Amino acid sequence: GLIRYNLGEYEESTIIFGELVDQPSFAQSANYDEALFLLGESFFQTRQFILARNYLGMVVERNSRRFGLEAARRLLEIAFELNDFTGLEELYAAFQRQGGQRGPELDYVQAKALYFQGEYAEAYELFARVPADASVALRSRYFAGVCDARLENWERALSAFDALIAELGDPEELDDDLLDLRDLTLLAEGRIH
């Protein structure tokens, strides 16, 4: 199962790990948490989010020292993918119990969850808190501007979008993701105008 997983053959690894964790005698094995995690992760990689959520949730419930933190982090991503934020506060609590520290990526995921629930003021606070050197900084600034627009803070939203466009710089030098972000920012400015 591990070889299949490491080769990126996730469908095959789901079959192997699935058979393994279903064996009652294996539940007492020292490798049980790892097998549960890799089964959940394999389902995540094949975009079978509900199955992934089930197995990763078991890892978190078992308070796995080795895999609990990563399982909780992945469950946050699944909540966003499924647009299902029920139990999110409990999940954040589990993440922190597992030793997870609040950081820019967690703030970003939580802010997006709040945004998609229509909690724009709370989402704005988290997006604005993301530091400039974080990997999600540019997207956070975009969403902070969108939150401002939703809250009808037109001038502040336009200012945020103008600053983001300036920071992104020459479109010829941007990768596809940043070019998409630039286009979204320009569209958002156009909608405000």
Side-chain angles (χ1 to χ4, degrees), residues 171-185:
E172 297 294 322
E173 297 178 9
L174 299 176
D175 65 24
D176 288 344
D177 286 340
L178 292 179
L179 194 57
D180 286 345
L181 181 60
R182 184 180 186 279
D183 291 345
L184 288 170
T185 304

Side-chain angles (χ1 to χ4, degrees), residues 114-129:
L114 289 167
Y115 172 81
F116 285 109
Q117 293 176 81
E119 304 291 335
Y120 304 120
E122 294 86 352
Y124 175 85
E125 294 300 322
L126 287 175
F127 284 129
R129 194 161 73 186

Side-chain angles (χ1 to χ4, degrees), residues 33 35 46 51-52 74 96 108 111 127 144 155 158 176 184 189:
D33 287 345
T46 59
L51 290 168
R74 189 62 92 189
Q96 290 175 328
Y108 178 75
F127 284 129
E155 293 302 318
L158 283 172
D176 288 344
L184 288 170
E189 280 189 325

Side-chain angles (χ1 to χ4, degrees), residues 40-73:
E41 184 64 19
S42 296
F43 279 126
F44 180 86
Q45 295 299 327
T46 59
R47 302 192 58 80
Q48 297 180 64
F49 298 124
I50 293 174
L51 290 168
R53 183 174 59 186
N54 179 46
Y55 289 105
L56 293 170
M58 291 170 67
V59 174
V60 170
E61 286 173 14
R62 290 173 55 83
N63 283 324
S64 170
R65 294 183 61 150
R66 278 186 60 206
F67 300 100
L69 181 59
E70 192 57 39
R73 182 177 288 121

